[in-house]
Amino acid sequence: MMVDQHHDIFDSLTRNAFDFLERGIAEFDKTPKYSVIHFCAAVEMLLKARLMKEHWSLIVSKPEQANLAKFMAGDFISVTLEDCRARIRDVAGEDIGDEAYGSFRALANHRNKMVHFFHNGLENDEKAKAQIVAEHCRSWFHLHRLLNRWNSYFHDFSGEIAHADRAMKGHRQYLAAKFKALAPELDAVRNAGGKPKACSACGFKAAIPDALDDQIASLRCLVCDHTETQVELECPHCGEPIVIATEGYATCEHCEERIEPEHLVDALTKDVVGTKDYFETGLPANCGNCEGYHTVVERGGHYFCTNCFDIFDDIEQCQWCNEYNTGDMEHSYSVGCSQCDGKVGWEKDD
């Protein structure tokens, strides 16, 4: 496939996805059933658009049987959400994460029910509608994060992304009644010394923190059930206070500069001895989950990955390369760690 032709298909798929997303938000009040269907289609199309940047055949159910002529004519079976995640991970080397996948999977399950079963009176069922909006909020939160991470591929659609984000802010009004009903429970949290924070997904100040230390906390929102880990710090570019959630890739809301895991490492270790030469503490360490290189720092008696935001109880030294990693290093002399292939790999290369 010619480069221009490939770009045109990617462009068309992505524009179609944002059209579906806009419809999914705008038509929610009158036709919530079709809102779910269109919203879910938009999420899946944007994930497929990311796969398109690797190769067009990856969005065909069986790539080994992909036929360009049939693909161009739209005569093919598209990849499933599960396979889409697997191919983004295995081919592109970027896992979308369990929380994002779980959110997209829940949305898809709801979509399947909408397609196959008749939902009478859904337009007037406020409780059911609130659940749908909560699903939309969680899915858009994770999708928005992925689009930000994949900025190099989707930079031409920054206007559409910003427009969708603004539309989602209005969409969240359907959760206001639930937030109001939670007032007694949130007051009880405050009276017990807790401090509910603003949820990154729905925007309501109903996320209950379980603090790791004064900068890092895991939160669960009582309004939309979104869970996340937040890091509070000063933007490394403009110095303004910011909150980063779920992963170490973000854009500062003040200066619009990109923030990446290495910025978080610097911010979270600036007063820690031994983090520059690695000899005294073995930090920053490597993450065995996301394979982040020197992304793990020590905070609050635990180890925190500034890339995937996972929290670990300990780190261990690789028996082959001596790098510190999260995860079990029992057999690392033979098979290596996240950053080496161990003795077996060394002998194979030799």
Side-chain angles (χ1 to χ4, degrees):
M1 184 186 295
M2 294 178 62
V3 175
D4 289 344
Q5 198 173 35
H6 183 278
H7 176 77
D8 288 345
I9 296 175
F10 170 81
D11 189 81
S12 177
L13 178 61
T14 305
R15 292 194 185 283
N16 201 31
F18 281 111
D19 180 55
F20 270 72
L21 187 63
E22 185 176 342
R23 288 173 179 267
I25 298 171
E27 65 195 3
F28 177 76
D29 195 40
K30 292 183 178 179
T31 55
K33 172 182 175 178
Y34 293 104
S35 172
V36 171
I37 294 171
H38 289 151
F39 199 102
C40 188
V43 171
E44 293 180 354
M45 280 190 280
L46 286 168
L47 294 178
K48 291 172 187 176
R50 172 63 186 89
L51 275 178
M52 273 283 296
K53 282 298 184 180
E54 299 300 317
H55 196 273
W56 63 269
S57 66
L58 291 174
I59 68 172
V60 178
S61 178
K62 296 181 178 180
E64 67 277 8
Q65 299 177 12
N67 180 283
L68 181 56
K70 289 185 176 181
F71 178 81
M72 296 299 294
D75 181 16
F76 67 94
I77 298 175
S78 183
V79 68
T80 65
L81 180 63
E82 181 179 5
D83 287 338
C84 198
R85 180 199 182 175
R87 291 177 190 180
I88 291 175
R89 179 189 63 230
D90 299 339
V91 180
E94 298 184 15
D95 191 4
I96 66 174
D98 291 338
E99 291 185 0
Y101 178 72
S103 179
F104 300 156
R105 184 74 264 168
L107 186 66
N109 289 339
H110 208 141
R111 183 269 313 276
N112 293 341
K113 291 179 182 178
M114 293 290 186
V115 170
H116 295 106
F117 299 98
F118 179 67
H119 285 254
N120 188 29
L122 180 60
E123 293 81 0
N124 299 315
D125 189 338
E126 296 304 318
K127 185 176 181 180
K129 289 171 74 173
Q131 179 188 351
I132 293 170
V133 174
E135 289 178 357
H136 284 187
C137 286
R138 294 194 299 269
S139 292
W140 173 246
F141 169 81
H142 291 294
L143 184 62
H144 195 196
R145 288 282 170 180
L146 288 171
L147 293 174
N148 184 63
R149 189 201 305 177
W150 298 332
N151 179 63
S152 60
Y153 303 114
F154 291 94
H155 59 86
D156 289 342
F157 296 91
S158 57
E160 287 83 353
I161 294 171
H163 182 270
D165 198 42
R166 288 193 296 270
M168 280 301 301
K169 286 180 170 61
H171 193 42
R172 294 167 184 146
Q173 65 179 314
Y174 293 98
L175 295 174
K178 185 174 182 180
F179 176 65
K180 186 176 181 180
L182 285 167
E185 191 170 345
L186 292 170
D187 285 340
V189 171
R190 295 186 188 94
N191 292 336
K195 187 179 180 182
K197 296 178 176 286
C199 173
S200 298
C202 70
F204 289 96
K205 207 169 185 178
I208 309 304
D210 180 12
L212 180 64
D213 62 16
D214 58 344
Q215 286 182 280
I216 305 171
S218 297
L219 300 97
R220 179 180 65 87
C221 180
L222 300 184
V223 171
C224 71
D225 294 323
H226 174 68
T227 59
E228 66 181 33
T229 298
Q230 288 187 355
V231 176
E232 297 183 5
L233 70 158
E234 294 180 353
C235 173
H237 306 291
C238 68
E240 291 291 331
I242 56 173
V243 175
I244 299 177
T246 301
E247 65 175 20
Y249 296 88
T251 300
C252 176
E253 61 184 284
H254 305 288
C255 66
E256 299 185 351
E257 290 288 338
R258 299 264 304 162
I259 297 169
E260 299 191 357
E262 52 263 37
H263 294 127
L264 274 70
V265 169
D266 291 341
L268 296 174
T269 62
K270 62 182 180 181
D271 297 322
V272 179
V273 176
T275 56
K276 289 186 177 181
D277 55 21
Y278 311 123
F279 293 119
E280 293 183 42
T281 66
L283 294 169
N286 306 314
C287 181
N289 282 6
C290 68
E291 298 189 350
Y293 176 69
H294 289 176
T295 58
V296 177
V297 299
E298 185 177 10
R299 301 291 298 196
H302 297 273
Y303 295 90
F304 174 73
C305 177
T306 61
N307 184 53
C308 65
F309 277 31
D310 276 351
I311 298 172
F312 308 90
D313 290 330
D314 53 35
I315 56 174
E316 296 181 14
Q317 194 169 21
C318 175
Q319 298 166 6
W320 179 254
C321 71
N322 294 324
E323 285 274 342
Y324 280 86
N325 296 263
T326 63
D328 186 2
M329 294 289 106
E330 182 179 358
H331 303 292
S332 57
Y333 182 82
S334 297
V335 299
C337 64
S338 64
Q339 304 301 321
C340 79
D341 295 324
K343 188 175 187 291
V344 172
W346 182 78
E347 290 179 343
K348 181 179 179 181
D349 292 338
D350 189 55

